[in-house]
């Protein structure tokens, strides 16, 4: 007789419900700066990586090209990001402007308030465990080493972070 406990319900639905609620939480705080949470994240990537080719930015942010273009447009229009010439005539680079650095710093203070609020509500251990589990699941879905057994070094490392 198989006594294995099997997941019930739809993982996609559960993750989307959680993501919508978490996004609302961050957007409520970061929104005080005029940015959406997604815009804050994109500004952070550009600051960290830039000047960066759009294809590399999309890869780092795990966005497809059309979503990146759509999400960059308001940042460019606001003067927080600029698209400039790349190393050759066919390429472009995305760079953060001084105004973008300032806006990102302002938003980071609000992001921190939102993050610390979640840490208090959920508990730091639960947040750390969630981050480790999500990183592990993303790696499995992206084929970073294929299915991992419970005793593998990669899983053991992630489990110890939780």
């Amino acid at each position: 007789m198989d006594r294995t406990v099997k997941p019930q319900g739809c993982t996609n639905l559960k993750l989307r419900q959680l993501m919508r609620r978490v996004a609302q939480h961050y957007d409520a705080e970061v929104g005080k700066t005029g940015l959406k949470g997604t815009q804050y994240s994109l500004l952070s990537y550009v600051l960290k990586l830039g000047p960066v080719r759009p294809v590399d930015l999309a890869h780092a942010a795990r966005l497809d090209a059309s979503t990146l273009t759509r999400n960059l447009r308001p940042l460019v229009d606001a003067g927080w990001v600029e698209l400039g010439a790349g190393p050759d005539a066919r390429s472009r680079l995305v760079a953060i402007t001084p105004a973008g650095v300032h806006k990102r710093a302002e938003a980071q203070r609000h992001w921190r308030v939102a993050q610390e609020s979640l840490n208090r509500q959920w508990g730091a251990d639960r947040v750390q465990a969630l981050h480790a589990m999500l990183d592990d699941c993303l790696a499995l879905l992206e084929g970073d080493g294929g299915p991992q057994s419970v005793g593998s070094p990669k899983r053991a490392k992630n489990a110890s972070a939780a």
Side-chain angles (χ1 to χ4, degrees):
M1 175 184 281
D2 183 10
R3 294 182 177 233
T4 305
V5 176
K6 295 179 182 168
Q8 298 293 311
C10 177
T11 302
N12 183 46
L13 174 64
K14 292 286 187 191
L15 285 172
R16 285 177 180 268
Q17 289 172 335
L18 178 62
M19 186 55 224
R20 275 193 298 274
R21 185 62 192 98
V22 169
Q24 289 168 355
H25 176 81
Y26 280 91
D27 283 346
E29 188 59 41
V30 174
K32 294 174 183 177
T33 68
L35 289 175
K36 296 177 182 176
T38 53
Q39 292 172 322
Y40 166 74
S41 295
L42 200 49
L43 271 179
S44 296
Y45 275 112
V46 175
L47 178 64
K48 178 181 177 183
L49 302 173
V52 61
R53 296 180 320 152
V55 66
D56 296 328
L57 178 58
H59 180 74
R62 294 186 173 150
L63 297 172
D64 61 56
S66 64
T67 301
L68 177 65
T69 300
R70 187 173 53 254
N71 290 347
L72 277 177
R73 178 57 32 212
L75 301 178
V76 170
D77 291 346
W80 298 324
V81 167
E82 60 188 8
L83 292 172
D88 61 54
R90 295 180 344 147
S91 64
R92 312 234 356 182
L93 292 175
V94 181
I96 194 165
T97 65
V101 171
H102 178 75
K103 179 55 75 173
R104 194 248 176 209
E106 176 189 1
Q108 185 179 31
R109 292 187 291 274
H110 289 275
W111 170 87
R112 190 173 314 282
V113 169
Q115 182 64 53
E116 289 172 358
S117 172
L118 270 185
N119 290 351
R120 282 190 305 278
Q121 289 176 345
W122 293 358
D125 289 344
R126 182 175 282 136
V127 171
Q128 248 184 327
L130 178 62
H131 288 197
M133 186 181 345
L134 292 172
D135 289 343
D136 196 30
C137 290
L138 283 168
L140 290 170
L141 287 171
E142 291 172 356
D144 292 350
Q148 304 281 328
S149 64
V150 174
S152 75
K154 188 168 187 176
R155 284 187 74 80
K157 178 183 144 227
N158 286 343
S160 67

